[in-house]
Amino acid sequence: MSVPHTVKGTVPFGEYKTWYRLSGDPGTSPRPTLVAVHGGPGSTHDYLRALEVFAAVGWPVVLYDQLGNGGSTHLPDKGPEFWTPELFLDELDNLLDRLGIADNYVLFGQSWGGLVVARHAAARPRGLRGLVVANAPASYPLWLREMEVLRAQLPPGINDVLLRHEAAGTTDSEEYHAAMRVFYDRHVCRLKPWPRDYQASFYEITNDPTVYHAMNGPSEFHVIGTLKDWGVEDCLPDIEVPTLVLSGAHDEATPETVRPYAELIPDARWEVFPESSHLPHLEEPERFIATMIEYLKGLPG
């Protein structure tokens, strides 16, 4: 399948700019545009490039870099008080309006992006046709509790290394990063080597960790940033559109963190990918594509 013509550009977001990539033409397609909201916070669109396959079968696709990373405006001098969930919700609203797709779209939110799209959907925007929540915890308190469970299951000595550096504030050390990689290889991406698109996003966080460190922390499993008490469980019953919930059997987003989406959203279906961790769209692409197309075709016209 060949991806239709792709346009890249930026839209103004207040005094800043949001970079986007649009595949397909929303103006001529009767189908809603699929808008992908990446994880992190502080990652980039790169690891979601595989979603452009849906533009080849009729759904225009928008990928974008959230403020602070990738092709969007970088703000390394902004403190934690600047980087709020509301900022990124406003950025998403602005992008939908600027691209002229706010009247007919589906949201795909991966990891942190899943919480963003859930909060957006709970406001019941007029043009939202469907919602995909992929590999996302419903709250960071849930996430942190489950991180303790996963860390305790790491090979002997690994968690001791992690704990020692976290207590000492030396999480930028090579020893910490090496121990961190053991967790990532089990629960973030089980493919070896890591796919190029995922590596690109990983290195973008390393190149400018401002947002990731402020909101999350030094790693996926040591959340000490501004998100540590944040979640979306309270608003899930307000979501009205058909919702597809995705997770991997080896996911850092464990069943306990994902279950509130399936139980609290009135019209939700939960699909678990048995060979995947946090990135089923890369780890089990054929099953992922088939699951998504079935869902997209089933949305009300």
Side-chain angles (χ1 to χ4, degrees), residues 141-191:
L142 273 176
W143 177 270
L144 283 167
R145 288 202 294 272
E146 288 297 288
M147 289 304 105
E148 295 300 319
V149 175
L150 295 180
R151 288 172 60 142
Q153 297 169 356
L154 292 172
I158 296 296
N159 198 32
D160 294 336
V161 172
L162 297 171
L163 290 169
R164 184 172 72 250
H165 284 288
E166 288 162 4
T170 52
T171 54
D172 57 349
S173 71
E174 289 187 12
E175 187 181 36
Y176 185 83
H177 286 173
M180 184 176 77
R181 180 65 186 252
V182 176
F183 180 96
Y184 281 45
D185 285 344
R186 282 188 169 206
H187 300 299
V188 181
C189 184
R190 289 160 58 84
L191 298 175

Side-chain angles (χ1 to χ4, degrees), residues 16-212:
Y16 313 120
K17 291 185 182 298
T18 300
W19 183 95
Y20 72 91
R21 178 183 172 99
L22 169 61
S23 298
D25 184 359
T28 60
S29 174
R31 287 172 165 168
T33 299
L34 179 65
V35 181
V37 182
H38 66 68
S43 185
T44 61
H45 79 285
D46 300 87
Y47 78 101
L48 295 177
R49 285 279 303 273
L51 271 65
E52 290 183 336
V53 68
F54 300 113
V57 290
W59 288 272
V61 174
V62 172
L63 307 177
Y64 73 101
D65 290 336
Q66 293 164 25
L67 187 67
N69 289 88
S72 296
T73 306
H74 287 236
L75 298 163
D77 296 327
K78 294 292 187 182
E81 70 284 349
F82 177 81
W83 304 106
T84 64
E86 290 72 27
L87 172 72
F88 294 102
L89 285 161
D90 290 344
E91 182 182 33
L92 175 57
D93 287 341
N94 180 73
L95 181 72
L96 296 170
D97 288 337
R98 294 280 185 174
L99 295 181
I101 56 176
D103 61 344
N104 192 29
Y105 65 102
V106 174
L107 286 179
F108 178 99
Q110 203 277 334
S111 197
W112 139 262
L115 288 91
V116 174
V117 300
R119 183 68 72 178
H120 174 96
R124 299 175 180 173
R126 176 180 51 84
L128 181 63
R129 302 290 177 250
L131 183 70
V132 182
V133 177
N135 318 97
S139 77
Y140 284 92
L142 273 176
W143 177 270
L144 283 167
R145 288 202 294 272
E146 288 297 288
M147 289 304 105
E148 295 300 319
V149 175
L150 295 180
R151 288 172 60 142
Q153 297 169 356
L154 292 172
I158 296 296
N159 198 32
D160 294 336
V161 172
L162 297 171
L163 290 169
R164 184 172 72 250
H165 284 288
E166 288 162 4
T170 52
T171 54
D172 57 349
S173 71
E174 289 187 12
E175 187 181 36
Y176 185 83
H177 286 173
M180 184 176 77
R181 180 65 186 252
V182 176
F183 180 96
Y184 281 45
D185 285 344
R186 282 188 169 206
H187 300 299
V188 181
C189 184
R190 289 160 58 84
L191 298 175
K192 294 182 180 181
W194 283 352
R196 182 176 298 179
D197 288 347
Y198 176 61
Q199 290 189 51
S201 286
F202 190 83
Y203 291 134
E204 287 279 4
I205 295 177
T206 302
N207 290 337
D208 186 352
T210 303
V211 182
Y212 189 79

